[in-house]
Amino acid sequence: MRIEDVYIWDINAKWLGITPYQLMENAGAGVARVIEKRFGKGLRVAVFSGTGNNGGDGFVAARHLSFENEVTLFLVGDEAKIRSEEARHNWEILKGLDFVKIKVLKDSAYIKSLDLSGYDVIVDALLGAGTKGEPREPIRSAIEKINEYAGKAKIVSIDLPSGYPSNVLVKADFAVTFQWDKEEYGGFERVIVTIGYPRELYHLVGPGDAKFALRKKGEHKGQNGKLLVIGGSEDYFGAPYLASKAAGYLVDLVYLTMPEYSAKRITDPDVILRPVEGRNFTEEHLEDVLKLVEKADAVVIGPGIGLAEETKRFVREFVRRCEKPMVIDADALKAVAEDLSVLEGKTFVLTPHAGEFKVLFGEKPEGSLMEKAKLVTEKAGQVDGVVLLKGAYDIISDGKTWKYNKTGNRGMTTGGTGDVLAGLVGALLALGNEPLRAASVGAFLNGLAGDMVKEELGENFTALELAKRVPKAVKWVMEF
């Protein structure tokens, strides 16, 4: 697991109703347990806390340790700068205790004159994993002061030695880190304690995933994604339009290429139309469409494209030659099912419902969530890409790990919601997300927008209403 995953899990845990207060309590209690297990009780303990959440974990550890040990808490910095509600809450509790000594060290002069020679254990809760570069004062002086006692007292860091990975870091005997080891950590001993995350968080897609996937990259037009949507036929024009409309809320530019016969019906100024001659896509259109791909960061192919034989040949040849990440949706799935070898070496997301999944892979996903997830993972591994199986719970896998999404409702059985989903996944690919995250977060946002429409209009709504709620869903995620 990576440090980024910690933030995602914390946000998703909050979405499940597990509060940051609970996680901080469990983290601090876990640190105290490890210290007493290793070094016994009746200790003299100094806890150095910063003003961030790492410091908050230190406040909780100090309270738990105070039951059978003599504890002094040194707050390094100004108490007015204690950031989160949960850290402040635990600071206020400490201030009300008579058996924990508190000393506030606002500047480095106080710190330099400290004598820590009477302490058995020094707890470092100064800085967490989110800090960059060398620590600034007064934290720097606190790290140097703690290090004066390396080898004399036992030094225990919370999560990681403060200052890591810079050269100015606490010389800890070990760090107590939470839930799992982080792949960025190295060069110091780590003891792992669990803090109450449920098993769901390994697989559940939530607002934490979406928050990271939706980060904007640049300040100028076109720097935040350009998507090409390829779809439409003599019979359908709404599907590629819905995919384009939804994507347009996430990326800077959406190009929509479709047969001129149906393109005439679209008059939306937000979509850049690139019609091709005729009523359906054929292999004659291939070079022109591949030229359009050069302008795009990702491609959606399939919505409303139809099942004419010449169109299916166009789809297969396009997929074989396209070098950009692709979402292969709707009728394009049926075209590709006839020759899965066109997917070799490509970056793609397939978005089948259960029926299309059977057409692609010859097996219908049935049974429990775990049974379906096993099948989706197996098939994604076989095609070496990402498969997003749409259903009451969407299941997404890259062949190695799997995720599931449970936003959405029965109103989303209406036609066109899958096109909105394809557009969202394509937009997230165009923003630079790797396919598993793009597919997972696309499913989450699609369902979330659907839940928002249901709240306003009930279960009877159209896919266009769904697409129009995408900005509201994004706003909710960013503010969560």
Side-chain angles (χ1 to χ4, degrees):
M1 289 289 192
R2 299 159 303 177
I3 293 166
E4 183 179 290
D5 296 315
V6 179
Y7 297 113
I8 290 171
W9 280 44
D10 280 352
I11 295 164
N12 290 351
K14 185 177 161 191
W15 185 51
L16 291 176
I18 300 158
T19 67
Y21 292 91
Q22 286 168 282
L23 296 175
M24 184 171 281
E25 184 66 26
N26 292 345
V31 171
R33 269 198 313 277
V34 170
I35 288 170
E36 290 186 338
K37 193 174 170 190
R38 288 246 180 150
F39 310 126
K41 294 170 184 172
L43 305 163
R44 290 195 65 205
V45 182
V47 179
F48 279 79
S49 274
T51 54
N53 272 0
N54 194 259
D57 295 341
F59 301 153
V60 176
R63 169 162 46 84
H64 281 268
L65 286 165
S66 75
F67 192 66
E68 298 200 62
N69 307 281
E70 206 177 306
V71 178
T72 304
L73 183 114
F74 297 97
L75 178 70
V76 181
D78 184 347
E79 70 171 290
K81 290 185 176 160
I82 293 173
R83 284 198 290 273
S84 69
E85 282 176 32
E86 56 272 22
R88 176 157 295 285
H89 171 76
N90 282 299
W91 169 248
E92 294 299 334
I93 291 172
L94 276 191
K95 286 204 297 184
L97 302 181
D98 296 317
F99 291 92
V100 175
K101 292 193 197 82
I102 292 178
K103 293 185 179 171
V104 178
L105 309 170
K106 282 191 184 176
D107 64 51
S108 46
Y110 290 116
I111 296 164
K112 287 185 167 69
S113 60
L114 277 181
D115 179 8
L116 304 177
S117 54
Y119 293 102
D120 305 301
V121 178
I122 300 171
V123 178
D124 153 36
L126 292 166
L127 295 173
T131 50
K132 302 269 189 295
E134 289 195 356
R136 295 192 291 271
E137 293 293 0
I139 297 284
R140 190 184 183 108
S141 288
I143 290 172
E144 287 164 357
K145 176 56 70 177
I146 291 169
N147 287 345
E148 284 175 29
Y149 294 86
K152 298 170 195 164
K154 297 295 180 189
I155 300 174
V156 179
S157 288
I158 296 184
D159 198 24
L160 79 174
S162 292
Y164 178 89
S166 81
N167 295 321
V168 181
L169 80 163
V170 168
K171 293 172 184 166
D173 289 272
F174 61 87
V176 179
T177 192
F178 306 119
Q179 207 70 30
W180 14 248
D181 209 355
K182 322 299 184 293
E183 62 187 47
E184 293 96 334
Y185 291 1
F188 58 95
E189 187 194 333
R190 297 174 294 286
V191 177
I192 297 161
V193 298
T194 57
I195 57 170
Y197 287 137
R199 188 175 175 182
E200 267 82 351
L201 291 179
Y202 271 112
H203 301 292
L204 185 68
V205 189
D209 304 86
K211 222 177 193 110
F212 275 83
L214 290 163
R215 285 176 300 188
K216 292 278 188 187
K217 302 284 189 298
E219 302 295 319
H220 302 290
K221 188 167 78 172
Q223 288 182 336
N224 296 304
K226 299 188 286 281
L227 181 69
L228 172 65
V229 177
I230 305 164
S233 60
E234 60 186 343
D235 298 319
Y236 304 108
F237 72 95
Y241 173 68
L242 286 166
S244 304
K245 186 74 180 165
Y249 292 116
L250 300 189
V251 293
D252 286 350
L253 297 169
V254 180
Y255 301 98
L256 170 55
T257 183
M258 57 195 294
E260 60 185 356
Y261 175 77
S262 45
K264 287 174 188 158
R265 306 181 204 185
I266 290 174
T267 55
D268 188 331
D270 293 328
V271 175
I272 303 165
L273 268 175
R274 293 286 181 265
V276 299
E277 284 181 5
R279 289 170 171 257
N280 294 300
F281 281 102
T282 71
E283 286 174 279
E284 287 169 26
H285 300 124
L286 198 58
E287 298 308 324
D288 288 343
V289 176
L290 284 165
K291 271 202 182 68
L292 288 174
V293 173
E294 291 169 21
K295 294 181 178 179
D297 300 304
V299 175
V300 174
I301 182 165
I305 208 163
L307 290 169
E309 283 306 320
E310 72 234 34
T311 303
K312 289 197 283 186
R313 283 196 297 276
F314 161 81
V315 169
R316 286 192 292 273
E317 195 52 33
F318 175 85
V319 170
R320 184 182 277 119
R321 290 180 58 188
C322 179
E323 295 303 320
K324 299 282 171 77
M326 288 174 274
V327 178
I328 302 169
D329 183 50
D331 288 337
L333 291 168
K334 292 174 181 150
V336 165
E338 292 174 25
D339 182 6
L340 289 175
S341 75
V342 300
L343 298 172
E344 283 171 20
K346 302 295 168 189
T347 302
F348 61 87
V349 177
L350 306 178
T351 54
H353 53 59
E356 290 164 337
F357 189 95
K358 188 170 186 210
V359 171
L360 278 163
F361 302 116
E363 284 182 67
K364 196 165 186 188
E366 286 171 325
S368 67
L369 173 68
M370 296 296 286
E371 286 167 322
K372 286 181 189 164
K374 189 167 179 270
L375 182 64
V376 173
T377 305
E378 180 194 314
K379 298 304 179 189
Q382 283 173 14
V383 293
D384 194 21
V386 169
V387 176
L388 191 179
L389 173 65
K390 299 181 281 201
Y393 279 3
D394 306 303
I395 299 169
I396 311 102
S397 179
D398 60 358
K400 296 182 278 292
T401 54
W402 63 273
K403 309 281 273 179
Y404 75 104
N405 169 58
K406 55 185 193 178
T407 59
N409 57 76
R410 282 182 312 192
M412 296 178 71
T413 55
T414 187
T417 59
D419 303 309
V420 171
L421 171 62
L424 293 175
V425 177
L428 288 155
L429 281 175
L431 286 171
N433 292 288
E434 45 90 24
L436 182 67
R437 178 170 282 175
S440 303
V441 172
F444 176 81
L445 286 175
N446 193 50
L448 181 63
D451 291 339
M452 287 172 167
V453 187
K454 183 188 167 189
E455 213 171 276
E456 290 176 50
L457 305 177
E459 278 190 344
N460 297 335
F461 54 85
T462 66
L464 190 56
E465 294 290 353
L466 174 70
K468 285 176 180 171
R469 295 312 184 284
V470 169
K472 191 177 175 187
V474 170
K475 183 172 186 277
W476 180 87
V477 162
M478 298 322 267
E479 290 173 357
F480 186 81

